[in-house]
Amino acid sequence: MAAERYADIAIPVPLGRSFTYRVPPALDGPLAAGARVLCEFGRRKVLGIVLSISEEPPPIDAAKVKAIVALIDAEPALPAELLTFLQQLASYYFAPIGEVLRLALPALERERVRDLEMQGKLLLGEAPGRTKQVGGRQVTYAAPTDGIEAPGSLRGQAAAIMGLLRATGEQPVVQLEKRYGNARAALRKLAGLGLVELTKRTAERAPMFADQPERDEPPTLNDAQQSAVAQIDTALVVRGDGSTGRDDIPVGSGAFLLFGITGSGKTEVYMHAIARCLAQSRGALVLVPEIALTPQLVARFRARFGNAVAVLHSALAEGDRHRMWTQLRAGELKVAIGARSALFAPVQDLGLVVVDEEHDSSFKQEEGVRYHARDMALLRAHRAKAVAIVGSATPSAEAMALVRRGKLIQMELPERATQATLPAVEIVDLKRIGAGPSGDRLVSLPLHRAIDQALAAGEQTIIFLNRRGFSPAVVCEACGVVMSCKLCSVALTYHRRAGGRLRCHYCDFSSPLPSRCPECGKGELSLEGLGTEKLEVTLATAFPNARVARLDRDVASGVRSAKILDRMRAGEIDILVGTQMVTKGHDLPKVTVVGVVNADAALSMPDFRASERGFQLLVQVAGRAGRHELPGKVLIQTRDPGHPAIRFAAHHDVPGFLAHEIADREEVGYPPFSRIALVRVDAVEEAMARKAAGRLAAYARSCPEVESRQVQVLGPAAAPIARLRGRYRFRVFLRCSDRPPLRRVLAALLPVKAKLGRKVRAAIDVDPVSML
C-alpha cells in the first residue's frame, strides 16, 4: 500500500504560515508544486497553491488532517523557479505567503473558475466576481459631469471618488473598486445626483500595441558600451552553460551595476544583452520605475525585437495583461517589461534581469507586501542563475555598497552616446536674485531670460516643480489657521481647475473652497505657495505666445502621460511644467533649458535619504537638457546654494556626492552601514495606536539581541504624518549592524503583533524606504 502523502498549501489568510492537507489517491499522480487546489478552510472552501509535497506526516493526529477537495490546474500555475523565489520573498519580508502568491497571478487567472465564484468561494483572497472574457469585454467607466453638489452633501468614499474623478478624469469602475471598497454604491449615488456619468463600452487594447513600429538596426556602440556588452556577454555564456557547474558561480560574477551618465546609452546595452539572451533561447525581464516610461521603452524594444515582448503593468486592460501572462508562462514570449509588479512575471528559463533607474524609490511597495523590486530582482536572478543588471545615472548608496562588497561588478558609461556634452548648470540664489517680469519670486530673472532665449531659438523648456495643484496651502488672514484635511494631518491643496476645490493628496478628500474661514468665520482666505497648476498659468501669462503644458498626476497619470510626451516630441509644446514625472528617462531632443524652481523642497524632508533623493532628482531632471546636437542649460533655484546635493549636482559629480553621502551615513550608522526595520502601527483611536506601539517596543527591548545591544530599538514615536486616512500612526524603529540579530527580534514580534486585535493594524517594514 502506497504511503500517505501530504501537501503544504498557501491559503489566503493574513498568517505567515502554510497549512498541511492530505493528498487523496486520485490526485497523487497529477498534483505538483505550484498547482492550485480547492481546500476546506474552517467552514468555507478556498483556493490555495501547493508549495510542496512529502510523505512526512504533520505533528498532529493524521486523522484530523483534511484532504484536498479538487485540483484546478492540469499544469502548475507557477513554475518551480518562481514559486521558490516567492517563498523566499515572503520569508524575508515576514509577509503572509498567500498574499505574496497573489502578486504572481493576474486578476483574470485568479477569477477563472466560475462555479467556485458563483458559490462565493475565494481565490487567493480576491472577492468573487463574475466570469470575465479575455477578448471584447465590456467595461464600465465613470466620468465627472459639470454638476455641482450642495455643500456638505457628499461624505466618505463618495466625496473621495468625486474628488479623484475631478482631478484625473474618467476612470474604469474596476480600478475605483480596487481603491474604494464601496465604489459601486458610491458611484450609483453620484450618478443619481447627476455628478457622474456611467458608460459601458468595449475595453480598448493597449495603445502601445496598436501599431507595428518600423524595425530598427542596432547602432554602432562606443568603446564604453562595447566593454559593458562584452562583460555581460561573458557572464551570459558562463551562466547559460549548464556544464560548468553553475552552483559554484560566485555571487557577483553575474550581477552588474551599469553606472552611466544621463544619455549615455544604457538602454542600448540592455538591448544587446537581451539579444544575446534570446540567442541562447533564454528569457529576459526588464523593470522600470514608472508606468509612464513603459510605452517609450516598449516602442524601442518592439522596434528591435518585434512582437516577442510582453508588457505587464497595472494600467493595462485585464485581457491584455492576462494574455501576456499566459504567453510568458507557455514560453511563447521570452521578454517581459513592466513596472514593479512585473518582477513576478512567469518568464521561462530566465537568463537576464534588468532594473533600470535602480535608485528610484517607487521600486519599493509601501502597502500590503512591502517588497523592494530592485533587491528582489537581484535575488530572483541569483536563484535562477541568471545575469542581473541594475542601471542608473545616479546609483543608490545601497548599490555602491554592493559594489564595495563584491556583490555587483561596476561598469561605467562616462560619455553621452550622441557625443553631446552635459548641460551647463547655473545656481540661482533666491536670497540675492529677485523675480523676473512675471512678478513671482520663484520665476527668477535668470530663469525668465533662459526661457525667453529658448523660445526665440525655437527650442523647448522643461520647468520642474515637485508640487502639484494651484496653491499648496490656504491660510486665514485673520486667525492664521491653515485649511487641513479632516482625515490626515496635512494641509489641503487648492486646485483651481478641479472646480476650485481643496484636495488632500493622501486620501483624496475634497471640499469646495469656503468663502470665509471655517474656524473664525471672519477672515479672508489667502492662497499661499506655488504648485504646478499655478506655475503653468504664470508662465502662460509671462510668455503669451508660448504653448505651455503640464505633466503631473492631475492631468496625466500612468500611461496617459505618453500623449503629452508625444506632443512634446512632435514640437507641439514649448514649455512643459511638471513634477518628478518629467525627470525620468525621457529623451526629448529639442529640450535645451531645464529650470528647477525650488530645489530646497526635496532636501528638507524628515528622512535620512532626503539629500540623496534631492541630488538624484536634480541630476535626473538636468539630464533632460541638451541630449542631442543642441547644447543644454540648467538653472537650479535655491536658498541654500552651499548644500552638498546642490553643489555636486551643479558639477554633475555623482561619485563625489556618493563619497560624501556614504561618509555621512557611516558616521551615524545608517544604511548601507546598518540594517533597519520599522514596525508601523495605526488605529482609528490615537491612544489605542500608541499603546499597541508601546507594547511592541517593550517586547522588542526584552529580546536578548536588544539587551546585549546588538539591536537598537527607538520609539515608539508618532510618524511625521501623524494621521493618515483617519488613522493615527506610530512606529518603532529597529537598527542593527548585521541582519540575523535584527531578523530574530522581528520574528519574535510576530506573535505579539498577531494579538493586537482587529482595531489595530501593525506591519513589519523590512528595509524601509519612506520614513514618513
Side-chain angles (χ1 to χ4, degrees):
M1 184 175 179
E4 196 85 73
R5 298 181 46 168
Y6 300 89
D8 276 335
I9 297 176
I11 300 294
V13 291
L15 299 173
R17 52 162 295 193
S18 58
F19 295 85
T20 302
Y21 286 83
R22 181 169 50 83
V23 180
L27 299 180
D28 197 23
L31 190 67
R36 293 176 301 166
V37 291
L38 183 64
C39 305
E40 290 185 0
F41 191 80
R43 296 183 179 181
R44 58 193 179 117
K45 293 180 180 178
V46 299
L47 284 169
I49 290 184
V50 178
L51 301 178
S52 63
I53 304 170
S54 72
E55 295 181 358
E56 184 72 25
I60 60 172
D61 184 358
K64 295 182 179 179
V65 179
K66 296 179 179 180
I68 296 171
V69 175
L71 174 64
I72 303 302
D73 300 304
E75 296 290 335
L78 299 176
E81 173 267 320
L82 181 55
L83 180 64
T84 54
F85 162 69
L86 291 169
Q87 289 176 269
Q88 192 163 353
L89 183 150
S91 173
Y92 183 77
Y93 290 106
F94 296 96
I97 182 62
E99 294 298 307
V100 171
L101 293 179
R102 284 186 69 250
L103 300 173
L105 292 172
L108 288 179
E109 191 67 20
R110 296 198 301 263
E111 300 175 7
R112 184 168 61 87
V113 190
R114 182 174 184 176
D115 61 333
L116 298 177
E117 293 177 322
M118 296 298 290
Q119 297 173 47
K121 296 162 184 166
L122 301 179
L123 182 56
L124 286 178
E126 283 287 307
R130 297 177 182 175
T131 299
K132 300 171 182 168
Q133 299 180 4
V134 172
R137 63 190 185 90
Q138 294 287 302
V139 174
T140 302
Y141 292 84
T145 68
D146 294 331
I148 301 295
E149 70 274 18
S153 62
L154 296 182
R155 297 179 180 178
Q157 291 192 0
I161 291 172
M162 197 66 242
L164 179 66
L165 291 176
R166 282 176 171 149
T168 62
E170 183 180 73
Q171 295 276 351
V173 173
V174 67
Q175 293 294 332
L176 294 172
E177 284 186 295
K178 292 178 181 179
R179 189 167 187 172
Y180 305 103
N182 199 33
R184 289 191 180 272
L187 287 169
R188 285 196 294 269
K189 175 183 177 180
L190 294 171
L193 293 172
L195 301 175
V196 165
E197 183 180 8
L198 300 175
T199 58
K200 184 176 288 188
R201 61 178 184 269
T202 302
E204 299 176 0
R205 194 175 180 208
M208 65 186 73
F209 300 103
D211 300 315
Q212 177 62 50
E214 182 179 347
R215 296 297 288 268
D216 74 347
E217 291 295 329
T220 301
L221 302 181
N222 61 31
D223 291 344
Q225 288 174 312
Q226 290 180 23
S227 175
V229 168
Q231 291 186 70
I232 296 166
D233 281 354
T234 300
L236 284 168
V237 170
V238 171
R239 291 189 164 235
D241 184 357
S243 65
T244 58
R246 286 162 57 189
D247 287 335
D248 298 327
I249 297 173
V251 172
S253 65
F256 299 92
L257 168 64
L258 185 59
F259 179 5
I261 65 172
T262 56
S264 59
K266 293 185 289 293
T267 303
E268 196 59 48
V269 173
Y270 302 153
M271 290 198 287
H272 274 73
I274 291 170
R276 174 57 66 93
C277 188
L278 294 175
Q280 295 179 346
S281 298
R282 302 191 73 187
L285 175 61
V286 181
L287 302 182
V288 295
E290 282 279 347
I291 293 175
L293 293 179
T294 309
Q296 173 184 325
L297 197 62
V298 169
R300 291 188 64 180
F301 274 64
R302 291 182 68 223
R304 183 70 53 85
F305 302 113
N307 287 325
V309 178
V311 179
L312 298 170
H313 60 69
S314 58
L316 279 180
E318 290 180 12
D320 283 320
R321 187 178 176 90
H322 180 267
R323 180 175 57 256
M324 293 180 192
W325 183 89
T326 303
Q327 290 177 303
L328 285 168
R329 188 178 66 163
E332 298 170 8
L333 295 177
K334 285 289 190 178
V335 181
I337 303 174
R340 183 176 57 224
S341 61
L343 171 68
F344 309 109
V347 178
Q348 297 295 308
D349 197 12
L350 185 63
L352 177 68
V353 178
V354 175
V355 182
D356 193 25
E357 310 290 359
E358 63 82 19
H359 66 275
D360 199 284
S361 61
S362 65
F363 279 124
K364 172 73 172 183
Q365 170 71 26
E366 296 293 351
E367 299 288 343
V369 181
R370 297 171 182 263
Y371 67 94
H372 198 302
R374 178 203 60 207
D375 298 346
M376 292 299 102
L378 290 170
L379 174 64
R380 186 175 180 188
H382 176 62
R383 293 190 59 87
K385 307 299 187 293
V387 172
I389 309 170
V390 296
S392 176
T394 53
S396 62
E398 287 78 8
M400 297 307 296
L402 290 176
V403 171
R404 288 185 174 187
R405 301 208 306 267
K407 302 291 187 181
L408 293 176
I409 299 171
Q410 182 172 320
M411 305 181 298
E412 295 188 10
L413 303 180
E415 298 177 351
R416 284 186 158 179
T418 59
Q419 303 302 314
T421 58
L422 288 170
V425 179
E426 177 183 348
I427 296 178
V428 179
D429 187 350
L430 293 178
K431 299 193 304 293
R432 298 188 302 105
I433 299 176
S438 70
D440 194 310
R441 287 186 58 83
L442 289 180
V443 183
S444 65
L445 183 59
L447 179 57
H448 189 281
R449 287 174 175 169
I451 297 172
D452 204 19
Q453 291 169 4
L455 291 172
E459 298 163 0
Q460 294 174 312
T461 299
I462 287 178
I463 303 297
F464 169 62
L465 175 63
N466 207 22
R467 181 166 287 177
R468 59 193 174 97
F470 192 87
S471 294
V474 179
V475 183
C476 174
E477 293 185 345
C479 67
V481 70
V482 178
M483 301 294 105
S484 300
C485 178
K486 296 180 179 179
L487 300 175
C488 309
S489 54
V490 296
L492 292 170
T493 299
Y494 175 67
H495 289 255
R496 193 167 77 172
R497 290 192 182 177
R501 301 181 68 83
L502 299 174
R503 285 191 58 218
C504 174
H505 288 174
Y506 287 88
C507 72
D508 288 325
F509 167 82
S510 73
S511 66
L513 178 68
S515 58
R516 293 279 178 176
C517 173
E519 292 293 324
C520 68
K522 300 177 182 178
E524 295 285 343
L525 296 177
S526 173
L527 303 178
E528 300 290 337
L530 181 69
T532 51
E533 186 182 352
K534 184 178 180 180
L535 182 58
E536 179 188 17
V537 173
T538 300
L539 292 174
T541 303
F543 303 98
N545 296 323
R547 296 163 296 179
V548 183
R550 177 162 50 102
L551 181 60
D552 58 28
R553 284 180 55 197
D554 292 335
V555 296
S557 61
V559 294
R560 290 188 297 170
S561 62
K563 295 180 180 179
I564 293 177
L565 293 170
D566 287 343
R567 290 177 56 208
M568 192 76 174
R569 293 188 186 94
E572 299 173 5
I573 298 171
D574 299 313
I575 303 172
L576 180 63
V577 177
T579 58
Q580 62 184 14
M581 293 175 70
V582 303
T583 70
K584 299 180 179 180
H586 308 303
D587 189 8
L588 304 168
K590 292 186 66 179
V591 171
T592 58
V593 172
V594 167
V596 179
V597 172
N598 183 11
D600 305 325
L603 303 175
S604 59
M605 301 296 288
D607 191 323
F608 71 89
R609 290 190 179 94
S611 181
E612 181 184 20
R613 289 201 190 109
F615 173 79
Q616 290 164 349
L617 275 173
L618 292 175
V619 172
Q620 292 287 340
V621 73
R624 300 316 106 206
R627 292 173 68 93
H628 290 264
E629 64 275 5
L630 299 173
K633 182 177 182 179
V634 180
L635 295 96
I636 299 176
Q637 298 187 157
T638 176
R639 293 181 177 86
D640 187 8
H643 194 288
I646 294 173
R647 285 192 291 107
F648 285 110
H651 294 91
H652 306 282
D653 186 1
V654 178
F657 173 79
L658 284 170
H660 181 277
E661 180 70 10
I662 288 173
D664 283 352
R665 300 269 190 95
E666 186 173 19
E667 182 177 354
V668 294
Y670 274 119
F673 298 98
S674 65
R675 299 286 179 175
I676 64 174
L678 284 177
V679 182
R680 301 180 186 269
V681 180
D682 62 76
V684 173
E685 296 182 18
E686 183 178 9
M688 188 175 292
R690 181 185 290 109
K691 181 179 179 181
R695 182 178 171 187
L696 287 164
Y699 192 87
R701 289 190 172 96
S702 70
C703 293
E705 293 81 2
V706 179
E707 292 179 343
S708 63
R709 298 187 179 181
Q710 289 178 280
V711 178
Q712 181 185 21
V713 178
L714 298 176
I721 302 177
R723 189 167 180 250
L724 197 63
R725 300 182 184 93
R727 300 181 71 89
Y728 290 92
R729 308 164 70 235
F730 289 81
R731 73 262 186 91
V732 180
F733 180 86
L734 297 95
R735 177 168 55 180
C736 184
S737 60
D738 200 15
R739 181 184 293 148
L742 177 62
R743 292 190 60 78
R744 289 195 294 271
V745 175
L746 294 175
L749 291 178
L750 291 176
V752 182
K753 170 177 166 286
K755 296 177 182 178
L756 293 177
R758 295 184 177 181
K759 294 184 178 181
V760 176
R761 294 188 309 207
I764 292 176
D765 191 353
V766 179
D767 303 330
V769 169
S770 171
M771 304 303 290
L772 298 181

